[in-house]
Amino acid sequence: MPETEEPKDTEKDGKENYKLALGFIKSLTGKLSKSNIVISNDEEKENLKTQIAQLSNAINDFINRYNLS
């Protein structure tokens, strides 16, 4: 008979994920609002635009998933 894994404590994991997400959001907000960013060429500009669009989509999905609007 195979050994069974102990069930994960999903509430504990969820609370830890909340703390990590909130810390990341606060850090990112601070970086975006206070940082001096040098964009050297069109490729860097396009990469940044692409990542910002993906971040925007992820934020909107997150807001909808957790009914934060």
Side-chain angles (χ1 to χ4, degrees):
M1 182 171 169
E3 291 184 32
T4 58
E5 294 182 29
E6 292 184 29
K8 284 188 174 182
D9 185 350
T10 55
E11 185 173 344
K12 182 180 177 184
D13 288 347
K15 287 182 179 185
E16 182 65 23
N17 288 343
Y18 168 80
K19 289 177 188 176
L20 291 170
L22 186 60
F24 172 75
I25 291 166
K26 286 180 177 181
S27 175
L28 180 59
T29 301
K31 293 283 185 196
L32 291 175
S33 64
K34 297 177 184 174
S35 293
N36 177 32
I37 297 174
V38 175
I39 301 171
S40 300
N41 56 48
D42 287 343
E43 182 181 359
E44 288 180 351
K45 184 177 182 177
E46 287 304 314
N47 287 339
L48 195 56
K49 285 171 56 176
T50 299
Q51 288 303 142
I52 289 172
Q54 290 176 359
L55 177 61
S56 178
N57 290 337
I59 289 169
N60 287 329
D61 291 346
F62 184 86
I63 288 169
N64 292 333
R65 184 179 329 127
Y66 293 101
N67 199 22
L68 298 172
S69 58

